C-alpha cells in the first residue's frame, strides 16, 4: 500500500496519510513523499524516521507505555473520597 509521509530535515516522520495507489513512489512537489509499505505498522509520528523509503521506528519507543494516563478531575476525586467514606461508615455499622 502507498502512503504519504511528511518529514523534517532529519527525515523524522512528522505526519502520514494514505495515498492513492496510482501515485508514483518518491518525492512530490506538494511537500511530501510517497512510499510503499506492507503494513501500517511503526508509523509513529515524531517517533520514527524514513530511511531509504522505509519506516524505521525509534528503538526505545513503546506506543503502549507512551499513552498518557488520564487523571481524575477534582470532582471525580471528591466523589471517590465521599464514596470511600460512605463505604467505611456502612462497613463500620455492620461490624458493630
Amino acid at each position: 500500500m502507498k502512503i504519504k509521509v511528511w518529514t523534517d530535515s532529519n527525515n523524522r516522520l512528522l505526519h502520514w496519510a494514505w495515498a492513492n495507489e496510482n501515485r508514483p513512489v518518491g518525492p512530490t512537489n506538494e511537500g511530501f513523499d510517497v512510499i510503499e509499505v506492507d503494513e501500517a505498522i511503526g508509523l509513529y509520528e515524531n517517533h520514527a524516521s524514513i530511511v531509504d523509503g522505509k519506516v524505521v521506528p525509534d528503538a526505545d519507543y513503546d506506543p503502549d507505555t507512551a499513552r498518557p494516563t488520564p487523571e481524575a478531575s477534582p470532582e471525580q476525586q471528591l466523589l471517590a473520597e465521599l464514596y470511600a467514606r460512605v463505604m467505611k461508615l456502612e462497613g463500620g455499622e455492620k461490624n458493630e
Side-chain angles (χ1 to χ4, degrees), residues 2-28:
K2 293 182 181 177
I3 61 171
K4 305 173 195 176
V5 293
W6 288 261
T7 58
D8 65 12
S9 59
N10 294 318
N11 290 329
R12 300 288 295 160
L13 180 63
L14 300 176
H15 183 67
W16 72 275
W18 301 109
N20 184 315
E21 288 298 317
N22 296 323
R23 286 196 88 130
V25 172
T28 68

Side-chain angles (χ1 to χ4, degrees), residues 4-5 14-15 19 21 25 33 37 52 56-57 63 66 70 72 82-84 91 94 96:
K4 305 173 195 176
V5 293
L14 300 176
H15 183 67
E21 288 298 317
V25 172
D33 291 338
V37 296
D52 296 327
V56 181
L82 289 171
Y83 179 77
K94 291 179 182 177
E96 292 179 359

Side-chain angles (χ1 to χ4, degrees), residues 47 56-62:
H47 296 285
V56 181
D58 293 350
D60 60 348
Y61 180 68
D62 182 0

